[in-house]
Amino acid sequence: MKRLFAVPIQLLFLSTGFICLSCDQDSVPEGFQIEPGFLLERVADEPLIKDPVDLEFNELGDALVLEMPGYPFEDQQSRILVLKDENKDGVYEDKIVFIENLQLANSFMPYKKGLLVAAPPYLLFVRDDNQDYIPEKVDTLMGGFSTGNLQHNYNGLTMGLDNWIYAANGGNDGKPYWWDVPESQLDLRGQDFRFNLETKTVERLGESSGGFGLAMDEYGRVFETHNLEHISQLVFPDRYLQGRQTLKKHTLENISDHEENGLARIYPIGEQESRVNHPEQSGYFSGACGITYYGGGAFGADYDHTVWVADVVLNLIHVDKIKSNGAAFTASRVLEKRDFLSSSDRSFRPVNMSLGPDGGMYVVDMYRKVIEHPEWIPDEIEKTLDLEAGKDQGRIYRISKEGVKTQFNVDQFKTQEGLVKSLRHSNQWVRNTAHRLLIDQTLTNGTLDQLKAGLLAESDFAKLHSLWILSIKKELKEDALLAAMQDASPNIRESALLIAEQEMNSNPKFAEAGLVLLSDSDSRVRMQAALSLSTLEQEKLTELKSEVLNAIQTAATLPSDDWNLAAFTLAAGTYAPDLLTTLLATPSPQIPDQFLSSLALASAKNENDAKTVLQALEDSDIQMSAKRQIIKQFTLGLEQVSSKDLEPYIQTLEKSGDLGLISELALLRSKLQLPTSPEFLKLSQAALTKVMDKSLPDSIRVQQLALIELLPYREKSAVLFQCLRNTEPLKLQENALRQLSTSNEKEIGEKIAGMWNELSPQTRRYASDLLLYIETHHDALLTGLENGTINIGEMNFDLERRRTLLWWTDNEDTKRRAEKLFTDSGVTNRQEAIDQMKPALALEGSVVNGGKVFESICANCHVYGTIGNEVGPVLTEIGRKSKETNLHDILDPNAAVDTKYINHRLETNAGVVHVGIVATETDQNITIKKTGGESVTINKSDVKVFRSLGTSLMMEGLENSMTQQELADLLAFLQNRI
């Protein structure tokens, strides 16, 4: 078997695990870069394996690999192999074909004496009762899962501590059902899910990230990934919501603290490939997948509590440290300006990872020349690609810490005593495997005693697993669980709450303990206490109403985030209106206004509650800003109530005279289908004049604009278009455009296209979406593009935006016109110039000479390192893009241009003209940055004319100022990392 490094890692296999005897820091395969102090070994490759997508270790210590050669054409079925290391050197040289014909299976996990396999549309159980790798039977347990784009089929099977199995759903719908009960369908509605094979229960888990993989930390918290959004946390599951609304739209939260304009920067090495659909994403997460929690305990404290995410597009693995952030978590880079593992081999495709018995991280490399699904490759480009390249290849790598000797003997799993001992092991794989095996067995009295002793151990892991196992086995005593709810560790208290909620309705002691934990010192414990209390049945909640509401009121005075407030609201249940009226009657500065809004969202479910809340709001002394937000959320949560009975309360509140409150009340009237109040109509008509009164403060003008929202389009259109003038406050422009987007009048698009160059840069971004995503305006957009009124580069025509006009419309004329402007593969204005200079890509470039070219041609407007003037984009990190992409951007600067770098012409009242880009724009000033770096700031009151010139600051025709060799040198310079 081929080895890619000079000095091999010497490993000894103990029937079970690995011990690193001698390692060398130079033991890194060619083309790879790994963080110093770590080792990378290829432990399996072709022809032994091909197209691997998942790797799991069973309790025998054997590695099993799932191959998926059917990606992306669905032309072959998946299979699972057992890898064999006969000479015990830690490298696999043989295999057993365990099971074939697994549909398009993409995920599996050890289960009992066999495997569970996600093989959409089925869930399969491969039985191997004597564990000889000759399956006795394959049972179909479930059907009905969605099938479609193979990247998004359900995946990530993971056993939880609670004996439920969790899975990502790839953003799909699907209606899974138990195979023997076809009528048991559950509509997943785009959510992830979990299922319990013992009770034959399946339930929605929460909003699906839409990605491949699911990670779970030591305590069962779930993390997910998807392409651009590399790490999200399911803060709490859907079962607590039961269809109820909170101020959060869903409970899946992007927890990355290192986003740049919605994308997280990562650091590939080597020359990059051209992005076939989103060149602007070069150097940022765009193919995130294989999210895995590292709980191996062998990499040192810096790597404890870390989540690892691969990017298959940029051939690397990124590591984030997970830390508490209120009731949720935050993810921070472990490394700055570099990633843990990177490869210059563009076929390195790390699709998945798995923690091993030895504490090492195993990387599953599908090894494909092209990994993008053909659905998202432009047709013209797809014809030039070999989508089959690499289908006979695949690799598995092992990451270990230099000088660290780790050992685990799976013989310890052969006795219940050994399994219990394993529950306190430093390696999460060892603990979880022992946990699973103990649940599968009938436990002896001696084992039960050992587990009960574990509840008193110093090890949190021993306590954690003992709690869950005893609970699942119905052997957890009341006193033991109550003690766990008071444990010194917040993690144990949180887990104890999850267990206790199953008995809160039947045992008042657990509900009482939960009420105490509502004021716990730990934010996440407070949230979980509220969530667990939210499961109280109505009869029990009514019995404990006073205690629950008082405890919530006290808890709300403690530092709280959105998740705490959502949980407190859910805990109040049907008594949210009662709690809200109490808080309105006795306002407290310690109670966040946002909590009042959250309660209001839950307080308009019936007529009596609605009247009570409106009456209490009328009588309350809280700030008017809080009243506005309460009415806003009250309106959003409003259900079937009698409108005529609420109108008197609305009329009383309207007498406040507060414009914002009256505006919100008008929206409430609209939802109740009540006539607009004469007072509001009067204010709305007056607002048509006041909104354009520049003597009024901007904040008042924005309030006045809100007052005309319910007026018919014809009455307010002239004012709305006046608000779009680039000399008006930005907030006014934005809100006017938002109101225009709610009307489907054809003239809106025509007028916006006609005044395109007069729109401010920020407003043009919103306007481009209005023109593109409202089909009524497609004619105006295309006409503007055809006659040059709208610069095509300003429309950010990435793949999906192009396809809005090329594919995803039923209007054949729109498609025909769009095809004349661009193709599915992109926008090109200067193909002749590109073709003329394309030979530069094949020439050897000189970095030194390229620096001279940069100084003479580019430095007047661009910075690279310490060279140049910052007018246009800083190019220091431009090497993250391919040479081909950079060539295209240099020669065709107007094909795709960030609106920040569009040239503008500003003329002052004194007749002075300034030309350059808009560096900053506020409601008072505009700062123009000119070629060469000079900046000038003009007060908006001194502006006579301000308009876009529609073209990039970067001029066309640069091919005339350099030879092909000079362009090759420039590209080499830009690719040089500094």
Side-chain angles (χ1 to χ4, degrees):
M1 180 176 181
K2 182 167 58 177
R3 304 287 285 272
L4 290 186
F5 41 83
V7 184
I9 301 173
Q10 300 300 321
L11 295 164
L12 176 64
F13 187 80
L14 295 183
S15 84
T16 59
F18 301 109
I19 302 177
C20 178
L21 295 181
S22 63
C23 303
D24 191 298
Q25 63 181 1
D26 295 326
S27 302
V28 178
E30 183 180 353
F32 282 82
Q33 185 173 291
I34 193 168
E35 187 62 11
F38 286 86
L39 307 169
L40 182 69
E41 180 185 19
R42 188 193 292 186
V43 297
D45 61 7
E46 66 278 349
L48 186 69
I49 61 171
K50 62 180 182 180
D51 309 304
V53 295
D54 199 5
L55 167 73
E56 299 291 340
F57 292 88
N58 65 13
E59 61 267 30
L60 303 179
D62 288 335
L64 292 89
V65 173
L66 173 61
E67 296 182 333
M68 191 182 184
Y71 179 85
F73 296 117
E74 307 181 27
D75 54 347
Q76 298 179 60
Q77 294 197 44
S78 300
R79 68 176 185 172
I80 294 175
L81 312 175
V82 182
L83 301 184
K84 304 302 290 183
D85 176 19
E86 301 294 354
N87 61 8
K88 309 297 189 257
D89 68 346
V91 177
Y92 300 104
E93 64 279 322
D94 203 357
K95 68 188 176 190
I96 298 170
V97 178
F98 181 28
I99 183 73
E100 297 186 281
N101 302 318
L102 292 174
Q103 304 286 332
L104 292 164
N106 59 28
S107 174
F108 74 104
M109 59 166 276
Y111 180 73
K112 296 189 183 295
K113 297 283 181 68
L115 301 174
L116 283 180
V117 183
Y122 309 115
L123 171 70
L124 306 176
F125 178 32
V126 182
R127 295 180 178 274
D128 183 21
D129 294 336
N130 56 7
Q131 295 187 300
D132 60 356
Y133 299 127
I134 302 174
E136 284 80 33
K137 187 179 180 182
V138 178
D139 290 333
T140 302
L141 302 182
M142 298 180 73
F145 293 102
S146 287
T147 57
N149 184 322
L150 303 188
Q151 295 176 349
H152 299 293
N153 286 340
Y154 92 94
N155 64 85
L157 296 177
T158 303
M159 176 69 81
L161 296 171
D162 52 10
N163 208 32
W164 287 70
I165 295 163
Y166 293 70
N169 191 32
N172 281 321
D173 293 325
K175 296 180 179 180
Y177 58 87
W178 298 105
W179 193 248
D180 56 349
V181 191
E183 64 273 16
S184 64
Q185 289 186 347
L186 175 69
D187 187 350
L188 291 178
R189 302 198 302 243
Q191 296 203 18
D192 293 332
F193 62 100
R194 68 174 188 165
F195 55 92
N196 190 310
L197 292 175
E198 305 302 319
T199 61
K200 281 198 169 180
T201 309
V202 59
E203 63 181 35
R204 287 181 288 270
L205 188 60
E207 184 84 4
S208 178
S209 68
F212 185 71
L214 182 149
M216 193 174 283
D217 75 359
E218 297 95 338
Y219 298 93
R221 295 123 178 182
V222 173
F223 302 90
E224 303 178 40
T225 190
H226 179 230
N227 291 353
L228 280 69
E229 197 166 287
H230 75 284
I231 181 165
S232 300
Q233 181 194 358
L234 185 71
V235 182
F236 61 80
D238 182 73
R239 71 176 185 274
Y240 294 115
L241 295 172
Q242 297 294 309
R244 293 176 286 181
Q245 293 176 284
T246 71
L247 296 183
K248 291 282 191 179
K249 291 182 179 179
H250 53 73
T251 60
L252 186 72
E253 180 85 344
N254 181 349
I255 61 170
S256 168
D257 70 356
H258 42 285
E259 306 286 296
E260 300 172 5
N261 300 316
L263 296 170
R265 180 76 164 94
I266 47 180
Y267 297 89
I269 62 173
E271 184 174 342
Q272 297 302 298
E273 292 180 314
S274 295
R275 294 299 315 278
V276 296
N277 51 20
H278 280 281
E280 78 283 356
Q281 293 172 8
S282 298
Y284 294 89
F285 261 116
S286 60
C289 65
I291 187 167
T292 304
Y293 184 83
Y294 180 76
F299 290 176
D302 288 346
Y303 290 87
D304 290 340
H305 311 298
T306 54
V307 173
W308 300 39
V309 185
D311 190 291
V312 292
V313 175
L314 296 185
N315 326 101
L316 56 78
I317 292 173
H318 172 88
V319 181
D320 282 332
K321 188 83 166 179
I322 303 301
K323 300 175 183 176
S324 292
N325 180 28
F329 289 87
T330 190
S332 305
R333 297 181 188 276
V334 169
L335 305 170
E336 290 297 325
K337 295 191 178 296
R338 65 186 190 279
D339 280 296
F340 183 85
L341 175 66
S342 306
S343 178
S344 58
D345 183 351
R346 300 279 75 90
S347 293
F348 172 60
R349 305 297 184 181
V351 296
N352 216 336
M353 286 169 279
S354 186
L355 178 62
D358 55 342
M361 186 70 93
Y362 288 75
V363 180
V364 180
D365 175 13
M366 198 173 190
Y367 204 79
R368 289 288 186 87
K369 182 69 175 175
V370 179
I371 199 68
E372 187 74 86
H373 193 281
E375 178 183 357
W376 300 108
I377 301 176
D379 292 344
E380 297 163 53
I381 295 176
E382 185 180 335
K383 294 174 185 176
T384 69
L385 303 175
D386 180 2
L387 300 184
E388 302 279 355
K391 289 192 76 169
D392 58 348
Q393 295 176 286
R395 288 93 188 268
I396 304 293
Y397 293 92
R398 174 180 178 268
I399 297 170
S400 59
K401 185 76 180 290
E402 182 182 7
V404 174
K405 299 179 180 180
T406 59
Q407 176 179 351
F408 179 75
N409 192 323
V410 293
D411 287 344
Q412 192 164 310
F413 288 156
K414 292 180 179 179
T415 67
Q416 289 189 4
E417 182 180 3
L419 289 170
V420 174
K421 182 180 178 182
S422 298
L423 297 177
R424 62 185 69 206
H425 199 279
S426 61
N427 185 348
Q428 185 182 18
W429 178 88
V430 175
R431 298 192 304 274
N432 287 354
T433 303
H435 184 107
R436 175 175 63 84
L437 294 174
L438 283 166
I439 288 173
D440 288 344
Q441 298 177 20
T442 300
L443 303 183
T444 67
N445 288 333
T447 299
L448 292 171
D449 289 341
Q450 285 181 299
L451 289 169
K452 291 170 185 176
L455 298 176
L456 303 175
E458 292 185 8
S459 165
D460 277 2
F461 294 145
K463 289 180 187 177
L464 174 74
H465 291 280
S466 295
L467 272 172
W468 279 108
I469 294 169
L470 288 169
S471 172
I472 291 164
K473 293 294 187 179
K474 309 298 183 186
E475 294 286 347
L476 184 59
K477 302 302 181 185
E478 175 188 290
D479 289 349
L481 182 51
L482 288 170
M485 294 175 77
Q486 300 173 35
D487 194 86
S489 166
N491 296 315
I492 298 299
R493 298 198 297 274
E494 179 187 344
S495 295
L497 276 162
L498 284 164
I499 295 170
E501 76 181 42
Q502 302 167 44
E503 299 183 50
M504 277 191 177
N505 286 293
S506 59
N507 189 328
K509 291 184 179 180
F510 293 131
E512 291 168 9
L515 290 171
V516 172
L517 291 177
L518 273 177
S519 295
D520 192 86
S521 59
D522 182 83
S523 183
R524 187 167 179 87
V525 173
R526 293 199 296 275
M527 178 187 74
Q528 186 56 56
L531 294 172
S532 295
L533 287 165
S534 77
T535 65
L536 289 174
E537 295 170 356
Q538 185 60 45
E539 183 179 352
K540 190 66 176 177
L541 179 60
T542 299
E543 180 185 328
L544 295 173
K545 174 185 174 183
S546 177
E547 293 91 334
V548 170
L549 297 188
N550 287 338
I552 293 173
Q553 186 171 350
T554 299
T557 63
L558 301 173
S560 299
D561 60 16
D562 293 347
W563 304 110
N564 290 121
L565 300 181
F568 296 158
T569 304
L570 294 172
T574 55
Y575 296 114
D578 299 72
L579 181 55
L580 177 57
T581 55
T582 297
L583 295 176
L584 289 173
T586 55
S588 168
Q590 293 177 293
I591 302 290
D593 289 347
Q594 196 169 1
F595 185 41
L596 304 180
S597 298
S598 179
L599 290 169
L601 184 63
S603 295
K605 307 306 180 187
N606 63 63
E607 183 179 335
N608 287 333
D609 286 344
K611 288 193 291 186
T612 299
V613 168
L614 291 177
Q615 178 68 62
L617 189 62
E618 175 191 335
D619 298 336
S620 180
D621 293 330
I622 62 169
Q623 294 290 324
M624 195 59 69
S625 59
K627 286 190 176 185
R628 292 183 212 124
Q629 287 303 311
I630 287 171
I631 289 296
K632 180 176 183 177
Q633 295 305 323
F634 180 88
T635 302
L636 289 173
L638 192 68
E639 295 187 357
Q640 297 291 332
V641 298
S642 172
S643 58
K644 60 179 174 40
D645 289 334
L646 293 188
E647 188 169 20
Y649 299 95
I650 295 172
Q651 289 172 334
T652 302
L653 285 166
E654 285 171 334
K655 294 176 182 177
S656 69
D658 182 81
L659 298 183
L661 182 60
I662 292 172
S663 181
E664 293 296 346
L665 289 166
L667 293 173
L668 175 57
R669 279 180 171 273
S670 177
K671 188 164 185 178
L672 289 167
Q673 297 183 324
L674 289 169
T676 304
S677 69
E679 184 177 11
F680 181 73
L681 284 174
K682 182 179 177 181
L683 289 171
S684 296
Q685 292 298 325
L688 290 172
T689 301
K690 290 182 178 179
V691 74
M692 300 312 301
D693 185 349
K694 294 191 176 185
S695 67
L696 294 173
D698 293 346
S699 60
I700 298 298
R701 295 179 66 195
V702 171
Q703 278 189 345
Q704 293 292 329
L705 185 63
L707 287 172
I708 70 172
E709 185 161 354
L710 295 179
L711 290 178
Y713 168 75
R714 291 296 169 191
E715 289 187 36
K716 64 181 180 179
S717 60
V719 169
L720 291 177
F721 283 108
Q722 288 182 66
C723 288
L724 295 183
R725 292 172 179 166
N726 55 40
T727 53
E728 295 295 347
L730 296 173
K731 199 68 176 177
L732 205 67
Q733 296 178 45
E734 179 185 335
N735 286 347
L737 199 61
R738 182 182 56 78
Q739 285 197 35
L740 287 169
S741 70
T742 63
S743 299
N744 204 29
E745 301 290 336
K746 187 176 175 63
E747 73 169 37
I748 293 174
E750 294 169 347
K751 287 188 175 183
I752 287 176
M755 62 189 301
W756 184 261
N757 289 337
E758 279 72 44
L759 298 176
S760 71
Q762 292 186 48
T763 304
R764 279 202 300 278
R765 295 174 193 167
Y766 298 117
S768 71
D769 288 344
L770 181 147
L771 294 175
L772 182 63
Y773 293 123
I774 300 176
E775 193 160 1
T776 304
H777 305 320
H778 283 177
D779 177 66
L781 169 60
L782 290 165
T783 299
L785 292 170
E786 289 162 347
N787 63 27
T789 303
I790 300 174
N791 175 11
I792 197 168
E794 293 182 87
M795 287 300 298
N796 186 26
F797 273 128
D798 59 31
L799 182 68
E800 290 82 5
R801 289 170 73 90
R802 295 196 300 273
R803 287 183 174 180
T804 299
L805 299 176
L806 291 171
W807 289 13
W808 299 333
T809 175
D810 294 328
N811 189 313
E812 294 301 321
D813 184 56
T814 295
K815 294 179 182 179
R816 178 186 56 77
R817 294 170 69 186
E819 287 169 355
K820 292 182 179 180
L821 293 167
F822 46 78
T823 69
D824 191 45
S825 62
V827 177
T828 304
N829 294 328
R830 308 190 69 243
Q831 190 61 52
E832 184 177 341
I834 292 170
D835 291 342
Q836 172 190 330
M837 300 300 284
K838 202 165 187 176
L841 295 173
L843 298 176
E844 182 81 23
S846 164
V847 173
V848 173
N849 291 339
K852 297 175 182 177
V853 176
F854 180 87
E855 288 194 63
S856 65
I857 296 178
C858 313
N860 210 30
C861 291
H862 295 285
V863 168
Y864 186 86
T866 58
I867 306 170
N869 298 297
E870 186 179 342
V871 183
V874 174
L875 302 182
T876 304
E877 289 195 347
I878 200 66
R880 63 188 172 84
K881 296 185 178 182
S882 70
K883 286 184 179 180
E884 186 175 10
T885 298
N886 284 334
L887 178 143
H888 190 283
D889 291 346
I890 291 168
L891 301 179
D892 196 358
N894 288 303
V897 53
D898 189 324
T899 52
K900 291 187 297 186
Y901 302 111
I902 292 291
N903 242 337
H904 284 72
R905 181 182 185 275
L906 185 151
E907 182 179 352
T908 68
N909 292 326
V912 179
V913 173
H914 303 281
V915 176
I917 66 169
V918 179
T920 59
E921 180 182 4
T922 68
D923 291 338
Q924 291 75 39
N925 302 307
I926 299 171
T927 298
I928 299 291
K929 186 175 283 189
K930 305 179 183 181
T931 300
E934 178 191 355
S935 292
V936 58
T937 299
I938 308 296
N939 192 295
K940 279 191 172 180
S941 62
D942 293 331
V943 173
K944 179 180 180 182
V945 178
F946 175 48
R947 60 181 287 125
S948 164
L949 297 180
T951 57
S952 169
L953 177 69
M954 186 170 173
M955 61 184 177
E956 294 181 348
L958 285 180
E959 69 277 5
N960 298 317
S961 60
M962 68 182 99
T963 65
Q964 290 177 353
Q965 182 59 58
E966 287 173 328
L967 179 55
D969 294 340
L970 177 59
L971 293 172
F973 172 75
L974 295 176
Q975 288 285 309
N976 183 43
R977 288 176 175 268
I978 59 173

